[in-house]
Amino acid sequence: MAMLRVCLEIQGLARDADGNACPGGLCISLGELPDDEMHTELTKKLMERVDVAAILRATPLEGLVKPSDCRVITPEEFDEKYGDDDEE
């Protein structure tokens, strides 16, 4: 089973060690799908149709960041850039 996720990269969401603004990630899990083919197809469709403003409204980020500061990214890119450092 694969988890269906919507992932964003948000400019200025985080700070580096020197206090400079840098991008941060947001990932929303929507549930598991029974097979990889269905997961791949739905992920592609989601990425084409994501309403960033609606996602921001559904989170505490509304009013803190602008939709124009956000970029939809693949779950793989999210994992590479923002994934859990404790994963092995």
Side-chain angles (χ1 to χ4, degrees):
M1 289 198 153
M3 183 65 67
L4 184 62
R5 301 180 291 162
V6 174
C7 303
L8 300 177
E9 180 174 76
I10 304 171
Q11 294 302 317
L13 184 63
R15 300 279 176 215
D16 66 16
D18 297 321
N20 301 310
C22 62
L26 172 70
C27 184
I28 299 175
S29 297
L30 302 173
E32 290 186 326
L33 296 174
D35 65 58
D36 289 338
E37 185 175 320
M38 181 185 292
H39 175 265
T40 301
E41 181 180 330
L42 283 176
T43 295
K44 181 179 176 187
K45 287 181 181 180
L46 273 174
M47 289 187 69
E48 293 169 355
R49 298 179 182 166
V50 168
D51 182 344
V52 172
I55 290 174
L56 294 176
R57 281 192 300 274
T59 69
L61 295 173
E62 183 179 31
L64 298 176
V65 297
K66 299 177 287 194
S68 60
D69 294 332
C70 303
R71 180 174 71 94
V72 178
I73 59 176
T74 65
E76 294 79 17
E77 184 177 355
F78 178 87
D79 290 343
E80 182 180 308
K81 290 183 173 183
Y82 308 107
D84 188 357
D85 290 340
D86 296 334
E87 287 183 6
E88 295 183 23

